Amino acid sequence: MSFDYVRKIVSGKKARFIDPDNAVNLDLVYVTDRIIIMGYPAVGVAGLYRNRRRDVLKFINSRHGEKWWIWNLCPLYENAYSPESMHGRVSRYPFPDHHPPPLPLLPLAVREMTAWLEGDSERVAIIHCKAGKGRSGTLLCSYLLSLPALPPPPQLDSSYTHKDLKKRLEERKKETSSENTTPSEDDRDRDGWVYVGSGQDITGVQVTEDQTELGRTSTPAHSEKINVAPVTRSTNSSTTTLSNPSSSPSINIQVDTNPPYPIDIGDEGNPGEVGQEDRKDGRVDEVFKLHSSRRMKPTSSGRGVSIPSQRRWCRYIHLLFNNQAPPSYTSPKPSRVRLVSITLLLTPPSGWHKPLASLVIGGTGGTGQGKAWASVARYDDEYVDELKARGGTGQGVGGQVTWGGVGGEGRFDTNKMFRSCGKMIASDIDDLTTSSLPQDHQDYIVHHLTPSKDSLILDRSREFRLKFHLASVPLGWTWLIPAFHLPEPPSRSSFEPPQKRTHTLHFPRSQIDFPLGPGQSIHEILVRLEEVPEEDREATARLMSDEEEKKEGVDETNRELVKEEGE
């Protein structure tokens, strides 16, 4: 019995690669000729509905010999395999499913990908997470944003599945001559391919030489260290010079002298508009478009990186790689903000939803709107500190590479990788918040949340997650790094009194990750942050222990199951 049909259902709207020569049907795609994204290489029961590991090995060995390397983004608690089972060619950069990573992880992974691909023009990089979409797309887009120019979609016929190759050949024949039904001389001489037949029956067959005669270079040892040339910047404030570590010439890109931050939470606006200046050069949108066009089926209208927080992270990394990140993010000097309040505007239930919501969520008067609350979490501090120590903050792709990634033996990814550091609970709305609500706020049910303790201080340059709930029902979550969305703290003399400026960030439902079920009632969420003066000695909120999370009611031992668009 063939399980290809089951695998096709599981992969959903994502593109697949059918290779008749190797008799495999894989959840895999060439985004470019040198970068592959795929689903998890599984064994056992999981291999019945995901990529079988032996099929993956057969495919990549037959096509690329020893010139491939895998970037595995799965934490050990989620999915795990021995690097030796994949010939030792695996680097681990783990972060949880359906979430963005600590931002310093991305430059480190991009640095290693750069080193690998620059080392030999025939090498390919293979990225996978579980479904091979959101997390893989986040790393892939980060790598593409580090390049001086966006590479084209695959140009080699071998990068296309059998069905797509036939279409390409037909289109190529139409372009050369509408009457010529035989392959051109150039087609027949295409390196590594033989074309058989004529007219509508033409097909391409790849010829693979004996691996022992290919003279392939050996796989680098995990202990081997190499230096990757940094991205150099011009001293002219209006020009950025990106230097590729290869022999390719440098490319000058004109950028505005005005800083492209703070940026909007969402990317629905047009590139170059206020809050969207980081997208003015078009690179972020081009990268998303390339990834989506290759990773998703041609019939799908879905986005490859469909999780809003992961798209937000790609915008952050674009600023970082172009030396345009906010100074408060790259500065070693700490800068902090206070999470003052969260205000949820929810659409009231109606019709048959009303009694169901009342039964599930509770609340008075049959509203189905029980008390709201939110948890505040961030990644393990030791994990982030180690990523920063390895050069993940503010250094682009330059630095020293040690093969194997940052996962190690599982010090940070055998258990959950981020923890709660605070809780927001229902409270009375204040006048300042009321004045910032939209004019039609009376059409919505308003929940106002403030810290359960006296104050909740966060690091301005660190990621944090807000997860929203109604009673025991999750509504969705979102991640952000405040430094990219707030104006820079003003400089002042020692004689000036400290300022406490307050900023409100607006999250429409489109910018909430997985607003499923009751989460569909979200209209908008307002997050109010206050700058903390340097003189303020109040401590940053610490991460809770397991016992403290349970006591506070913010533990996530039983994670809800969510499904990303396209899975």
Side-chain angles (χ1 to χ4, degrees):
M1 175 182 176
S2 173
F3 284 88
D4 286 344
Y5 180 71
V6 177
R7 297 185 184 103
K8 184 178 180 180
I9 293 176
V10 172
S11 65
K13 299 178 182 178
K14 301 192 302 296
R16 298 185 64 83
F17 202 106
I18 300 174
D19 183 1
D21 295 334
N22 287 296
V24 295
N25 184 334
L26 298 171
D27 183 4
L28 175 151
V29 70
Y30 285 81
V31 179
T32 71
D33 287 319
R34 304 189 63 197
I35 304 177
I36 295 171
I37 282 184
M38 69 177 185
Y40 185 80
V43 295
V45 175
L48 300 179
Y49 57 88
R50 297 199 182 276
N51 289 337
R52 285 190 300 183
R53 194 171 304 164
R54 67 187 185 199
D55 290 345
V56 171
L57 281 171
K58 180 167 64 173
F59 178 85
I60 56 180
N61 281 330
S62 67
R63 285 171 163 259
H64 302 290
E66 295 182 349
K67 297 191 177 184
W68 55 269
W69 196 278
I70 288 176
W71 277 260
N72 174 11
L73 308 181
C74 294
L76 292 180
Y77 68 74
E78 177 188 312
N79 286 300
Y81 60 81
S82 167
E84 286 71 28
S85 67
M86 301 300 285
H87 299 185
R89 301 190 195 106
V90 180
S91 291
R92 291 203 316 112
Y93 289 86
F95 60 100
D97 197 9
H98 302 128
H99 296 282
L103 191 61
L105 176 143
L106 292 173
L108 298 176
V110 168
R111 179 188 301 174
E112 192 180 25
M113 285 184 64
T114 301
W116 171 254
L117 292 173
E118 291 291 345
D120 189 325
S121 62
E122 294 183 2
R123 288 177 175 176
V124 296
I126 304 171
I127 308 172
H128 81 76
C129 48
K130 184 172 67 176
K133 187 172 176 284
R135 285 177 290 181
S136 296
T138 301
L139 175 54
L140 179 276
C141 291
S142 298
Y143 171 75
L144 295 178
L145 288 167
S146 76
L147 300 177
L150 184 66
Q155 302 297 295
L156 300 176
D157 288 341
S158 57
S159 299
Y160 288 86
T161 189
H162 188 73
K163 183 177 180 180
D164 293 335
L165 175 59
K166 186 176 181 180
K167 292 180 181 179
R168 281 172 57 83
L169 293 175
E170 291 174 353
E171 292 173 357
R172 189 179 298 143
K173 285 189 297 179
K174 290 179 181 178
E175 293 175 358
T176 54
S177 173
S178 59
E179 296 180 357
N180 186 6
T181 59
T182 60
S184 66
E185 196 68 29
D186 291 339
D187 289 336
R188 289 195 297 266
D189 291 341
R190 199 169 298 277
D191 184 30
W193 284 80
V194 174
Y195 293 86
V196 182
S198 62
Q200 297 298 317
D201 296 326
I202 190 170
T203 186
V205 179
Q206 186 180 22
V207 179
T208 304
E209 301 178 54
D210 189 291
Q211 299 297 319
T212 60
E213 298 176 358
L214 293 179
R216 300 190 184 279
T217 57
S218 59
T219 299
H222 281 241
S223 59
E224 177 185 346
K225 295 183 179 181
I226 65 171
N227 289 316
V228 179
V231 177
T232 58
R233 309 293 177 182
S234 169
T235 56
N236 186 337
S237 61
S238 63
T239 303
T240 301
T241 303
L242 303 179
S243 298
N244 200 357
S246 70
S247 58
S248 303
S250 297
I251 296 178
N252 291 328
I253 301 175
Q254 297 296 322
V255 296
D256 291 337
T257 54
N258 294 328
Y261 54 82
I263 64 175
D264 286 344
I265 287 295
D267 56 2
E268 288 94 346
N270 295 321
E273 292 180 347
V274 176
Q276 304 293 332
E277 289 91 346
D278 61 305
R279 296 168 52 220
K280 186 175 182 179
D281 60 6
R283 287 297 303 278
V284 172
D285 290 22
E286 288 178 339
V287 163
F288 284 153
K289 183 177 180 180
L290 173 61
H291 174 246
S292 297
S293 66
R294 295 299 302 149
R295 189 60 182 116
M296 308 303 291
K297 291 180 179 178
T299 56
S300 172
S301 59
R303 304 179 71 168
V305 184
S306 59
I307 299 177
S309 292
Q310 292 176 343
R311 294 202 306 272
R312 200 173 299 131
W313 252 236
C314 291
R315 295 175 69 189
Y316 295 165
I317 210 69
H318 181 51
L319 290 172
L320 187 63
F321 284 164
N322 279 281
N323 227 11
Q324 295 178 314
S328 59
Y329 175 77
T330 56
S331 173
K333 188 176 181 179
S335 179
R336 298 171 300 158
V337 293
R338 177 180 287 105
L339 180 54
V340 178
S341 66
I342 298 174
T343 307
L344 289 74
L345 278 70
L346 306 180
T347 303
S350 60
W352 64 269
H353 292 96
K354 193 171 182 179
L356 179 62
S358 181
L359 177 65
V360 175
I361 300 173
T364 59
T367 62
Q369 300 292 328
K371 284 189 176 181
W373 61 280
S375 61
V376 186
R378 68 174 182 265
Y379 276 99
D380 183 273
D381 293 335
E382 291 186 17
Y383 186 39
V384 175
D385 288 343
E386 181 165 326
L387 297 176
K388 289 181 177 180
R390 295 191 185 203
T393 301
Q395 296 186 21
V397 297
Q400 194 175 68
V401 172
T402 302
W403 299 106
V406 300
E409 299 300 321
R411 178 183 171 192
F412 299 110
D413 65 323
T414 53
N415 295 296
K416 60 183 180 182
M417 302 185 70
F418 54 82
R419 290 182 174 277
S420 295
C421 60
K423 184 178 182 180
M424 308 289 285
I425 59 175
S427 66
D428 296 332
I429 192 168
D430 55 52
D431 293 338
L432 181 59
T433 301
T434 301
S435 64
S436 65
L437 294 177
Q439 292 183 351
D440 61 348
H441 69 273
Q442 293 180 348
D443 296 337
Y444 302 97
I445 296 176
V446 179
H447 294 271
H448 188 63
L449 314 178
T450 56
S452 61
K453 308 297 183 183
D454 293 336
S455 184
L456 183 53
I457 305 294
L458 303 170
D459 188 333
R460 181 189 182 102
S461 65
R462 279 288 303 276
E463 78 298 323
F464 68 86
R465 188 199 68 169
L466 301 173
K467 187 172 183 180
F468 313 105
H469 304 257
L470 274 180
S472 61
V473 179
L475 301 179
W477 60 83
T478 190
W479 287 83
L480 72 151
I481 299 177
F484 290 90
H485 302 286
L486 304 181
E488 283 293 289
S491 58
R492 66 180 184 86
S493 68
S494 58
F495 302 101
E496 295 176 330
Q499 298 185 28
K500 291 187 177 182
R501 299 190 302 174
T502 301
H503 310 279
T504 300
L505 302 179
H506 295 255
F507 291 79
R509 187 177 66 216
S510 63
Q511 294 304 312
I512 302 299
D513 303 336
F514 301 102
L516 306 176
Q520 288 293 309
S521 66
I522 294 175
H523 172 69
E524 187 178 16
I525 296 177
L526 281 61
V527 177
R528 201 165 94 203
L529 299 168
E530 179 184 77
E531 295 178 6
V532 177
E534 185 178 344
E535 294 81 1
D536 194 322
R537 300 300 179 184
E538 189 173 355
T540 302
R542 63 177 181 81
L543 297 177
M544 300 180 188
S545 65
D546 289 340
E547 292 74 17
E548 289 172 324
E549 284 188 323
K550 291 179 181 179
K551 183 178 180 180
E552 195 72 14
V554 293
D555 65 304
E556 295 186 28
T557 305
N558 297 318
R559 299 181 179 88
E560 70 282 353
L561 297 176
V562 295
K563 189 173 183 181
E564 183 180 346
E565 177 189 354
E567 287 188 26

